[in-house]
Each structure stands twice: as structure tokens, then as C-alpha cells.
Amino acid sequence: MAAELTAQQLTTQHRPTLDRALEAIRTRAYWSPHPEHPKAYGENGSLDLPAGKAAFDALLGTRLDLGQPGTDDWVGGETSPYGVELGVSYPHADLDALLPAMRAGMRAWRDAGAETRAVVCLEILKRISDRTLEFAHAVMHTSGQAFMMAFQAGGPHAQDRGLEAVAYAYAEQVRTPDTAEWTKPQGKRDPLALTKRFTPVPRGIGLVIGCNTFPTWNGYPGLFASLATGNAVLVKPHPRAVLPLALTVQVARQVLTEAGFDPNLVALAAERPGEGIAKPLATRPEIRIVDYTGSTEFGDWLEANARQAQVYTEKAGVNTVIVESAGDYKGMLANLAFSLSLYSGQMCTTPQNLLIPRDGITTDQGPKSFDEVVADLARAVDGLLGDDARAGGLLGALVNPGVKARLEAAAGLGEVALASREIAHPEFPDAVVRTPVIVKLDGAKPDAEAAYMSECFGPVSFAVAVDSASDAAELLRRTVREKGAMTVGAYTTSPEFEEEVREVCLEEAAQLSLNLTGGVYVNQTAAFSDFHGSGGNPAANAALTDAAFVANRFRVIEVRREA
Amino acid sequence: MAAELTAQQLTTQHRPTLDRALEAIRTRAYWSPHPEHPKAYGENGSLDLPAGKAAFDALLGTRLDLGQPGTDDWVGGETSPYGVELGVSYPHADLDALLPAMRAGMRAWRDAGAETRAVVCLEILKRISDRTLEFAHAVMHTSGQAFMMAFQAGGPHAQDRGLEAVAYAYAEQVRTPDTAEWTKPQGKRDPLALTKRFTPVPRGIGLVIGCNTFPTWNGYPGLFASLATGNAVLVKPHPRAVLPLALTVQVARQVLTEAGFDPNLVALAAERPGEGIAKPLATRPEIRIVDYTGSTEFGDWLEANARQAQVYTEKAGVNTVIVESAGDYKGMLANLAFSLSLYSGQMCTTPQNLLIPRDGITTDQGPKSFDEVVADLARAVDGLLGDDARAGGLLGALVNPGVKARLEAAAGLGEVALASREIAHPEFPDAVVRTPVIVKLDGAKPDAEAAYMSECFGPVSFAVAVDSASDAAELLRRTVREKGAMTVGAYTTSPEFEEEVREVCLEEAAQLSLNLTGGVYVNQTAAFSDFHGSGGNPAANAALTDAAFVANRFRVIEVRREA
């Protein structure tokens, strides 16, 4: 069958976007080809708001047949954190049939070359972008994110991260030329002359192990980095967040088919409840790359046991914000209140420990005691979330009962500066919606350490009283070194203290946001410009996205002969 | 103390060389700044032949005091494979004193930036280059290489590989700009604007575990890749090949001092006989990078156990040459004879298994039976090594008694097509010099498999009779997949068979040389153009040198703030 989409067509259509992405990762200035407002969708074949909702509703209760070989059963049964039974079933794979089928198309995919692979990936991303508003509902009803966040983070921002990975993968593969003529002078004798041909070759099958909270945003970098470097990709979604990645796989398979490639280059591995296929899957010899987002425990297990594979992990960390002084006290409170509230603190980048000198801080509003800072922050959060409808749109729903249990337990860890409040969701009465709790701890008391030195995933933060700013910097250092951190924030008007915190972050390899008071938050990173994680502290062994994230997903094979 | 060498001086002097190296790794055309003939040395401050010999002689029996902190003893006692007692002693380190001292200078080294680090590394390489003829003797009398090879491979070629690593390290670090202005439009509202600063930060201390046979060639890529990316580097030489790396450390410390940096950024860890410091050292928390060349057993141990570090290993493999047909039979025999003889087959790249169809092959000299091919190859080796003086200059000495034992045992594995011959070294009567043995094996007989499917390091090759060319390709595939390979060679006039072998090499990630009949040999690779190993088969988890070899030796830390 002739391909419906030729490489040339795809190149003509997508090469300008690829070039623009390559420029963006070089300059790291702002850029995105994916609109960030729902109103931007609905033209040029993309779904508008009602059509997106209708498309999502039409999926409920259906069997999502991806046409995968080796399907031996149908599994599924996600329940939305908003209480909706999705009722979608997915193919369950006989791996001994599926994995060989996935390898069958790899030679043609390899021979297609880096540029064709890149533009096919860009076509996949374009088709996903066209269905962004449908994906938004799928992300919302698996992660518990509020709609606007599910739309933005699960749609354009995730697509940006996928495109960024494609750009890095492409750039990396073309750094070595396809061919070289090598001529070495030999004095009076004839020179030695060789013709060399260099081919990027894939490692094998890449496994993407998805997470519950950001199935697309955290899944796309590994998926597209592996695919763009010539590997096949098997997607193992979190059992409670299958739909967004199953739809992704469906789109990828469709585009691969239309472009004349084997659709089995991308496949889904859904599992039965409690089946636990990630461990046996990650250690199969066919799996040569693993991308994982989730718990430290399982990430560490993968790093130790999936030895046949390159393993890229994003695990848990303890994120710190130091409040040493403030040049814009109100801006700081507003910014922090938003950071703590967004998606009920269920981001790997949400601050947990707020380190504040026990003797208080200086601000543009005059000196503030430790208690005043904490009370003012509590008030800021309260103000932000005072209106239930608005609060629901920011908080989303708690993703699972474990988060609710941790939230409830947190109130017993210290003095509650801000109690968590239950919010009734206007549309989904079964949704568990809670405002954040802020608990005061004394950093000098050893019994408090067990709390603030562990990740308490969810809407829980600790206002930790420290003896001094330098004490805060040292606690930051110890926290990053021992527990890892995806983000660090600091508020200070002191150039000396800024330098002290910066030095800690450089030495412990943590990404630092300074004095954020406006519309950018410490828990957000932008593709093409910000690195997500550093790959240099225990929270993650890779950064999204840099050259190290892609350079070892393929190898370059040289064939040389005399010229 | 003001630096004697300013960054500006070094940049003026070395930036053109760095730029030329950056161009070379992009085009992969021939280039080297390091002359390959001894006569090229002796001007511009470099040592000429007699001065190089005198400098080496002056080292014998001395204590090489590197001025390292934490030196608690003096150790040494290398005996040259040529029988000379070197009698050089080296500092033995108290690691609890040395490692902290090595970290002390890292901040200034990090803050110096990628370009300054690169030009300091280039100055180190220049000083080494100036002493190439002294290093040649040090390499010869530790590795057992003949003088010309010790000079070339241990001198200019090793320096090339070091420079290549610096170029890759530099290129990788400057892919992200130092700063970026990020401005995100917000419709009618003011744009969001951030200023971002990006800093490459080192991982910690890199450990280079040297090998006996190519202390500089295999040691320099890791050493310079780690140093150029801001890490400190501790060099743990092979106990029988300390001197070349100790001199390297000495030069590096001198240049670092003159350039105003802490000399302890580079240090030596020599050990007592049987002390076995590599294991405890490689697993210390300060060690964040390990570069290793040596046995598969210890390489695998490092990969499994030095989990706190990035581990780059070059281990053992079984290298294959397939002889399917020959367009230049005599050229093939001459080329193969040289490959088998060079340094007595003690290169990780020397062919071991010669796969030849049992029904013979077609050649430009008419059809040749299996036995004829093997006999003609034996004759070619005999002819190449017929003159003892010439033979000694090509073979060098056996590096250790294990090689001699394997060589002697190999004669019992099958029918000896070419017996090994003892050669008296004219200058060093204690040198153990042996010509290669060629043993015939039947690939169809299971008892032969134990021989040809194991690495038999040394001057041993197996002429393996296979049922067909496709049988050879399949055995090649299995050998690379199970045992790994640093090199693959093939001789064929058939485009179809060439494609078959190429496909095996692409799928199993092995570097392929086709139909070499002239002055380039399958066991040689040239820096800036050829990759040494692929990093994709069991022989090595990294290639020398590509982006993956350097990209994870540092991380990029971002500090962002509102503009």
C-alpha cells in the first residue's frame, strides 16, 4: 500500500516548525506553536469546546480497539477523581506476541532517517493538538486536574514537551554527518583514503511508564524522544490514567500507518487490576529504554534492576522555598498562595517546605515576624480560594484516597496555620476537593524533621522556623542532597543571601526560581526554555529535556571502506 | 598569587585548535594537530628522540612526588614487559584527605566556564605533546608495545582522543546559552518576562581506572571529558602501567597551578600490590563518574555497584572478520596479517574469529579453498614477521604471563595452521616476544564453540569454517549480541552479502570495516572521525567519543527571576 502521507509532504508541512523548535532550544526564548487558550481551537480541523466534550463523552463505555497484535483480553475500568466511571476498555497484550510485532517495523523506521522520523512525530503531535479539547477531558477525568489546567498542562504544554524532545532527538542525530571522506596524508606516498557512512540506530523498544497526575505531560518527552531516535515505544499507562495515553497511542498508530510505517512501532500495554506488569515488562530483554515518572521506591527499583535498558526516572523530592526577605511582600504572598493551591499541591514541583527565619524577615511592608508571615500566607491562600467555584477551578480533585489520608494526617504534625477546607464541586458532587493545609514546624526540633524531610505529596506545606537565613540555606542543601528536589524557590532582597542560595543550588544541582511575584510560578516550567528537574539530585536522574535525555537512545554505527 | 597563564592568553593560543577540533567532529574528515612521526618533535620546546629517552631514563628509580595532599606512603614497582625494573615510586593516598582536597577547587573550576576549562585542557595536552617521546618510552615500558606504536598510539593518537573529548565536552556545554530573556505574550495584559541564567555544573569527582595496554589512549577520553565539564579527576592507573598516567597527572597539576586553579583538581591514586582500591574507590559517594577500560567481569561489577556514579565502560569482546570473497586477495592477506600481528593481538580491536565458508571463496586470484585461505594467511603473517628485528618492532612484548599462557593453551584447541614462534628481542633479552598462532576450528562442531565464543586476549586467532556466508553473518550476529565486539571486518565482492553484514552490524550495533586492503587496519580508529566501540553491544557501554559520552558528566542549572 502506498503511503497516504509521503515523507516529502510531511517535511514540507512540518520542517519549518522543527526549525523553529531547534532555534528555541538554542536561544531558550519563549516560543510555542500550541495555543494556550481553548478559544484558539475549533478551526482548521481541530475540535472546539463542545465538540471536544462530545468526543470525550462518546468514548465513555466503549472498547478502544487499537488494532494491536497479540491482544488477548480487554481491560480497563478507570474512575475519574470527579466520580465519573469512564468504562473504557483497552487491549491487554500477550507480550510474547506484541513485542516481536513491535520490532518488525523498526528497520524501515531506522532507514527512514532522522528528518522523516521527526516530521512523522510532528504530524502525530499535530493530530493530538487538533484533539486538544478532547484530551483535556481525558486528562481531567484521570488526573483530577481542573479543566483549564488539564487543557493547558495536558494539551499544549505536553505537546510542547513532546516537540521539544523531537527537536533534541533530531539535533542529536544529525550532529554526525551521513557520510565522510577521510583522507590522511602519507608524505610522499599516496594518502590513505576512506569513505565512511554513519547511521543512527535505535536501541530497541522503549517503555514509557506513565503516571497518574500528568499522563501526557510526563509521558510525551520519553515517548517522542525514543520514537524520534528510531526506537519502537510501548506505553504502559498508570492504571488510573490510561485514556489520555491510549488516545495518544491511537493517534500515533494512525499517523504511522498513513505515512507507510508499521503502526506497531507504538503500542499500549494496559493491565488488569493488580497485575503489576511494569516490573516484568521493564526487565524484558526487548526493552532497551525505560522512561518512568512516579515514586522514588519504584524508580530506584527500575534503576537497579532494568539493567538491560537505559533508565530515565523522575521520582519524588522535597521542594523548598526560602523566605529570607521580600521586596514585594504582597506579590510574594499571592504568588506562593497560587503555587500551593494549583492542582491541590499534587505537582512534583509544588513547594512543600517554606523555610522562614524564626526571628522574622524584612519586607517592603516593614518587618514581619515568623507568625505574621505564615498568617499572611494563610490569609492569601484563603483569599485565593474563598469563592468555591473559583477554588474548584484551581484545586481540581484529589487524585486518590492516599492524598486525602496524608492531608488529614498532616494536621496532626504541628500547629495548623491554615486548616484544609472541604469544597463541594458544583458539577461533580463525588469529587474530593480540598484546600491546602499549612502546618507550622520548628526546624530546630528533631521530631519535626521526620515531617519536613519526607515528601508529603498533596496539598500540605510546612512553614518551618529556622534559626537564620544561613540555617535555611544549609537545610536546603541537606534536603536536596538527601531527598532531591524538582524545584527550589527563594525570596530575598540580599545579594549576598541570593548568592548563598544560588551556590547551594549549583552545588546540589537544583533548579532555582528567585523572587517570583507575578504570573510565573515556581511549580511551572516552560518547554524550550526551562529545564524540568536537573538530573543531578535524587529527585530525577534526567532533565526534561537536554541532550543527555536523548543522546543515549540511539547509537551511531559507522561502515568504512577504502575510497 | 596571580596566575602565570591567564585565561585570555590560553584562549588566544588554543581557541583556533579548539575550533578546528569542533569542525573535525562535525565533518569527521581527517585532522590531527599532533604529528605522527618522531622526527616532527624536538622543536618549539618539545623533546627530540635522544632527549625523550634521556628524560625517561632520568625517571627510573625516582620518587615521583606530585605534591598531593593526604600522601601517606610511597608505592610502585612496575616491571617493564621488556624486563626493565622501572623503580619509580608514586604517592599513595589517604582518600579521606585527598578526596576532600580535590573538591576544594571545584567551585572556581566550575565558575571559570566551559571555554576556559577547554583551553586549560588544551594546554595540558600541549605540554604532554611536547614530551611525547618521553611518554613513548613510558608507554612502551608499561604496555609492552613496540617503541613506534607506543609513540604513536600512546602519544599523538592518545592526545587526539583527549582533544576530541574536550571538543565534545565544550560543544555540549555551550549548546544552552549562558542567559536567556523569556517573554511570553499575555494578550492585552503585560507579557510575562523572565531573565534566566544557565550554568553547567559538574557532578563531582570523576574516577579514571586505567588499563595495562593503552594507559593514555584509553585513559585520556574519560579524563579530559570529566575535567572539561568541570569535574575533578582522580586517576587510578593499572598497577603495571602507572608511569604514563602519573606523568599525565603531573603535567595537569602543573598547568592547573600556572593557570591559577587548584592542582588537586587532578590527582593520582596509586596502590600497593594487591591492595585492590578500585572497588572501594569506585563506590565512594564523592565519586560521581567512573571511566573504566578492562575486563568484562570488573566492568559489569562497576555498572552494577557504582550506582552513585555515571559509569562508562569498555570491556572485552570477540571481534570477527568474515571472509566471504576477495576482490584483492593479496591485499586482504597483507592487511589481515598486519592486524593479527600488531602489538601481538593485544588490542581490544584485534580480530579474533576469522569466519570462512568451508567450501572456499572466490577471489581475484581464482577460487580458494578454506585450507588455502588459512594457509595463505599463515604465510602472509610469516612473511610479515620473518625478520626478527622487524617482527619485534611490530609485535612488541607480551604484556603479562596470562597472555603467554593463553597463547600456549590455544595450540591445543584445534589444528594449528600457524604456530607461534618465539622471537629474541635484540635489545631486551627478557622480553617475551611471540608471533601469533592461528588455529583452525569447525564452526559446526559444538566443542569448538567454547573457544571461538570466548575472548582469547592475545596473539590468538581462530579460522572458523562455516557452512555458508549467511551462516557467517548469523554467527557474527550471535557473537556480537552475546559477547560484544569492538570491531567487525568483512571481505566481500557481493553487494548482497555486504548488505547482509551491514544489516547485522546496524542491528547489533557494531562498527564495520569493509574490504580493507591498504594501510588502514580494522583494529585502528582515528579520533575526530572514527567511533571506537558503539556503546550498543556488550563490549562497551559507551563510544569514544560522542555526545552521550560527555552530556551526562555535567548538569545545567537554571536560575530564573522576573525581568
Side-chain angles (χ1 to χ4, degrees):
Chain A
M1 187 187 74
E4 298 166 45
L5 293 169
T6 67
Q8 199 183 341
Q9 285 168 339
L10 291 171
T11 304
T12 302
Q13 188 181 351
H14 295 300
R15 180 77 218 198
T17 308
L18 179 61
D19 286 335
R20 193 61 193 76
L22 290 166
E23 187 195 335
I25 61 176
R26 273 194 305 270
T27 66
R28 304 198 86 75
Y30 171 77
W31 178 70
S32 168
H34 301 116
E36 222 180 14
H37 197 286
K39 285 184 185 163
Y41 294 82
E43 291 183 14
N44 301 315
S46 71
L47 300 179
D48 63 11
L49 266 170
K53 177 72 165 64
F56 170 73
D57 287 342
L59 289 167
L60 300 180
T62 64
R63 169 177 290 184
L64 202 70
D65 189 346
L66 302 173
Q68 289 184 182
T71 298
D72 60 11
D73 198 359
W74 297 90
V75 295
E78 297 148 287
T79 298
S80 162
Y82 291 95
V84 179
E85 298 278 344
L86 302 194
V88 186
S89 63
Y90 309 95
H92 181 276
D94 170 0
L95 295 173
D96 292 326
L98 180 60
L99 293 177
M102 292 184 71
R103 289 193 57 88
M106 282 180 58
R107 180 172 175 175
W109 186 236
R110 178 197 77 201
D111 288 346
E115 186 183 55
T116 295
R117 284 193 294 272
V119 295
V120 169
C121 288
L122 263 61
E123 177 66 17
I124 296 169
L125 285 164
K126 189 209 165 290
R127 303 275 185 100
I128 292 170
S129 173
D130 287 344
R131 293 168 64 179
T132 292
L133 290 163
E134 178 186 1
F135 273 81
H137 290 281
V139 170
M140 174 182 175
H141 284 288
T142 48
S143 69
Q145 290 174 23
F147 178 76
M148 264 306 281
M149 180 170 178
F151 158 73
Q152 289 188 335
H157 297 173
Q159 295 152 22
D160 282 349
R161 282 286 179 199
L163 175 55
E164 178 187 56
V166 174
Y168 267 100
Y170 174 79
E172 211 54 43
Q173 291 172 87
V174 299
R175 287 178 77 184
T176 302
D178 292 340
T179 59
E181 297 298 325
W182 182 88
T183 306
K184 179 175 178 177
Q186 296 290 293
K188 291 172 187 166
R189 287 173 293 150
D190 285 344
L192 299 175
L194 296 179
T195 296
K196 303 178 180 188
R197 188 172 162 195
F198 300 96
T199 307
V201 303
R203 283 197 172 268
I205 300 176
L207 173 66
V208 175
I209 303 178
C211 68
N212 197 170
T213 47
F214 289 90
T216 56
W217 198 99
N218 275 99
Y220 285 3
L223 194 169
F224 284 99
S226 282
L227 191 61
T229 48
N231 302 279
V233 179
L234 181 59
V235 178
K236 206 297 285 175
H238 191 283
R240 284 195 291 266
V242 183
L243 186 57
L245 288 174
L247 294 175
T248 302
V249 169
Q250 188 179 44
V251 171
R253 293 174 63 86
Q254 181 65 33
V255 170
L256 286 164
T257 304
E258 291 178 30
F261 294 102
D262 191 328
N264 297 323
L265 288 166
V266 178
L268 186 79
E271 59 192 314
R272 300 189 185 95
E275 188 179 359
I277 62 171
K279 278 190 182 185
L281 194 48
T283 49
R284 281 189 69 119
E286 299 94 332
I287 301 297
R288 302 297 306 279
I289 302 167
V290 176
D291 285 276
Y292 169 77
T293 310
S295 72
T296 294
E297 186 188 0
F298 193 57
D300 288 347
W301 186 92
L302 286 168
E303 291 173 23
N305 291 279
R307 304 289 315 286
Q308 85 294 350
Q310 306 288 317
V311 178
Y312 304 90
T313 58
E314 184 187 320
K315 301 171 286 190
V318 174
N319 302 319
T320 297
V321 171
I322 298 179
V323 180
E324 188 268 345
S325 52
D328 173 3
Y329 186 61
K330 289 179 179 171
M332 175 186 84
L333 295 172
N335 188 282
L336 277 178
F338 188 93
S339 286
L340 300 182
S341 302
L342 185 63
Y343 187 28
S344 309
Q346 297 172 116
M347 300 174 73
C348 58
T349 50
T350 304
Q352 173 179 305
N353 294 345
L354 313 171
L355 310 187
I356 308 165
R358 68 177 75 251
D359 293 338
I361 64 171
T362 59
T363 81
D364 61 326
Q365 308 288 311
K368 302 285 178 184
S369 71
F370 173 85
D371 284 340
E372 282 173 323
V373 174
V374 179
D376 289 343
L377 178 61
R379 208 167 296 122
V381 173
D382 242 0
L384 181 68
L385 304 176
D387 175 70
D388 276 10
R390 185 181 168 192
L394 197 58
L395 293 167
L398 298 192
V399 67
N400 63 46
V403 176
K404 182 162 170 273
R406 267 194 302 276
L407 169 63
E408 287 164 356
L413 295 172
E415 181 191 340
V416 173
L418 175 68
S420 177
R421 190 162 66 82
E422 189 172 340
I423 289 186
H425 197 285
E427 189 179 355
F428 299 105
D430 291 341
V432 180
V433 184
R434 295 287 187 279
T435 66
V437 66
I438 301 177
V439 176
K440 287 190 203 175
L441 296 173
D442 187 335
K445 292 203 174 147
D447 60 344
E449 185 171 320
Y452 66 74
M453 285 295 276
S454 309
E455 192 202 32
C456 188
F457 185 79
V460 177
S461 33
F462 300 116
V464 182
V466 292
D467 290 342
S468 67
S470 283
D471 202 39
E474 275 316 297
L475 180 52
L476 168 66
R477 181 191 297 278
R478 191 156 66 86
T479 307
V480 177
R481 189 178 291 182
E482 294 177 14
K483 299 295 167 181
M486 296 300 292
T487 57
V488 174
Y491 291 88
T492 178
T493 57
S494 154
E496 294 74 25
F497 186 68
E498 178 182 315
E499 189 52 31
E500 192 175 342
V501 172
R502 179 174 169 269
E503 185 60 26
V504 169
C505 288
L506 293 181
E507 291 187 356
E508 303 303 328
Q511 308 294 8
L512 174 63
S513 295
L514 277 171
N515 295 323
L516 296 184
T517 57
V520 175
Y521 305 95
V522 65
N523 28 353
Q524 296 177 324
T525 63
F528 310 109
S529 184
D530 295 318
F531 293 107
H532 176 72
S534 77
N537 72 56
N541 77 357
L544 300 179
T545 291
D546 62 10
F549 187 68
V550 299
N552 225 345
R553 292 175 194 260
F554 68 99
R555 302 283 70 214
V556 176
I557 298 306
E558 174 183 350
V559 178
R560 60 181 188 171
R561 69 183 78 214
E562 286 154 9
Chain B
M1 186 186 76
E4 298 167 43
L5 293 169
T6 67
Q8 198 182 343
Q9 285 168 338
L10 291 172
T11 303
T12 303
Q13 187 180 352
H14 295 301
R15 180 78 217 197
T17 308
L18 178 61
D19 286 334
R20 192 62 193 76
L22 290 166
E23 186 194 337
I25 62 177
R26 272 195 305 270
T27 66
R28 305 198 86 76
Y30 171 78
W31 178 69
S32 169
H34 301 116
E36 221 181 13
H37 197 285
K39 285 183 186 164
Y41 294 82
E43 292 182 15
N44 301 316
S46 71
L47 300 179
D48 63 10
L49 266 170
K53 176 72 164 63
F56 171 73
D57 287 342
L59 290 167
L60 300 180
T62 64
R63 169 177 290 185
L64 203 68
D65 188 346
L66 301 173
Q68 290 184 181
T71 297
D72 59 12
D73 197 0
W74 298 90
V75 295
E78 298 149 285
T79 299
S80 163
Y82 292 96
V84 179
E85 298 278 345
L86 302 194
V88 185
S89 63
Y90 309 96
H92 181 276
D94 171 358
L95 295 173
D96 292 325
L98 180 59
L99 293 177
M102 292 184 71
R103 291 192 57 88
M106 283 180 59
R107 180 173 175 174
W109 186 236
R110 177 198 77 202
D111 289 345
E115 187 183 55
T116 296
R117 285 193 293 272
V119 295
V120 169
C121 287
L122 263 59
E123 177 67 16
I124 296 170
L125 284 165
K126 190 209 165 291
R127 303 276 184 100
I128 292 170
S129 172
D130 287 345
R131 293 167 64 179
T132 292
L133 290 162
E134 178 186 2
F135 272 80
H137 290 280
V139 171
M140 174 183 176
H141 284 289
T142 48
S143 70
Q145 292 174 23
F147 178 76
M148 264 306 281
M149 182 170 176
F151 158 72
Q152 290 188 335
H157 297 172
Q159 295 151 22
D160 282 349
R161 283 288 177 197
L163 175 54
E164 179 187 54
V166 174
Y168 267 98
Y170 174 78
E172 211 56 41
Q173 292 171 90
V174 298
R175 286 178 77 184
T176 302
D178 291 341
T179 59
E181 297 299 325
W182 181 88
T183 307
K184 179 176 177 177
Q186 296 290 292
K188 291 171 188 166
R189 287 174 293 150
D190 285 343
L192 299 175
L194 296 179
T195 295
K196 303 179 179 188
R197 185 171 163 196
F198 300 95
T199 307
V201 303
R203 283 199 171 268
I205 299 176
L207 173 67
V208 175
I209 303 179
C211 68
N212 197 171
T213 49
F214 289 90
T216 56
W217 199 99
N218 276 100
Y220 284 3
L223 193 169
F224 284 99
S226 283
L227 191 60
T229 48
N231 302 281
V233 179
L234 181 59
V235 179
K236 205 298 286 176
H238 191 283
R240 284 195 290 264
V242 182
L243 185 57
L245 289 174
L247 293 175
T248 302
V249 169
Q250 188 179 43
V251 172
R253 293 174 63 85
Q254 181 65 33
V255 170
L256 285 164
T257 304
E258 291 178 29
F261 295 101
D262 190 328
N264 297 324
L265 288 166
V266 179
L268 186 78
E271 59 193 316
R272 301 190 185 92
E275 188 179 359
I277 61 170
K279 278 190 183 187
L281 195 47
T283 49
R284 280 188 72 117
E286 300 95 332
I287 301 297
R288 301 296 307 277
I289 302 168
V290 177
D291 285 276
Y292 169 76
T293 311
S295 72
T296 295
E297 186 187 358
F298 192 57
D300 288 346
W301 186 92
L302 286 168
E303 291 173 23
N305 291 280
R307 303 292 312 290
Q308 85 294 352
Q310 305 287 318
V311 178
Y312 304 90
T313 58
E314 183 187 322
K315 301 172 285 190
V318 174
N319 301 319
T320 297
V321 172
I322 298 179
V323 180
E324 189 268 347
S325 52
D328 174 2
Y329 187 61
K330 289 178 179 171
M332 174 185 85
L333 295 173
N335 188 282
L336 277 178
F338 188 92
S339 285
L340 300 182
S341 303
L342 185 64
Y343 187 29
S344 309
Q346 297 172 117
M347 300 174 74
C348 57
T349 51
T350 304
Q352 173 179 305
N353 294 345
L354 313 171
L355 309 187
I356 308 166
R358 69 176 75 250
D359 293 338
I361 64 170
T362 58
T363 81
D364 62 325
Q365 308 287 310
K368 301 287 178 184
S369 71
F370 173 85
D371 285 340
E372 283 173 324
V373 174
V374 179
D376 288 344
L377 178 59
R379 209 167 295 124
V381 173
D382 242 359
L384 181 68
L385 304 176
D387 174 71
D388 275 10
R390 185 181 167 191
L394 197 58
L395 293 166
L398 297 192
V399 67
N400 64 45
V403 176
K404 181 162 171 274
R406 268 194 301 276
L407 170 63
E408 287 164 356
L413 295 171
E415 180 190 337
V416 173
L418 175 69
S420 176
R421 191 162 65 83
E422 189 172 339
I423 289 184
H425 197 285
E427 190 180 352
F428 299 105
D430 292 340
V432 179
V433 184
R434 294 288 187 279
T435 66
V437 66
I438 302 177
V439 177
K440 287 190 203 175
L441 295 173
D442 187 336
K445 292 201 175 150
D447 60 344
E449 186 171 317
Y452 66 73
M453 284 296 277
S454 308
E455 192 201 32
C456 188
F457 186 80
V460 177
S461 33
F462 300 117
V464 182
V466 292
D467 290 341
S468 66
S470 284
D471 202 40
E474 275 316 299
L475 180 53
L476 168 65
R477 180 190 298 278
R478 190 156 66 87
T479 308
V480 178
R481 188 176 293 181
E482 294 177 14
K483 299 296 167 179
M486 295 301 292
T487 58
V488 174
Y491 290 89
T492 179
T493 57
S494 157
E496 293 75 26
F497 186 69
E498 178 184 314
E499 189 51 32
E500 191 175 342
V501 173
R502 179 175 169 269
E503 185 59 26
V504 169
C505 288
L506 293 181
E507 292 187 355
E508 303 302 328
Q511 308 294 9
L512 174 62
S513 295
L514 278 171
N515 295 322
L516 295 184
T517 58
V520 175
Y521 305 94
V522 66
N523 27 353
Q524 297 177 324
T525 63
F528 310 109
S529 183
D530 295 318
F531 292 106
H532 176 72
S534 77
N537 71 58
N541 77 357
L544 302 179
T545 291
D546 62 11
F549 187 68
V550 299
N552 224 345
R553 292 175 193 260
F554 68 99
R555 302 283 71 213
V556 176
I557 297 306
E558 175 183 349
V559 178
R560 60 181 188 171
R561 70 183 77 214
E562 285 154 10

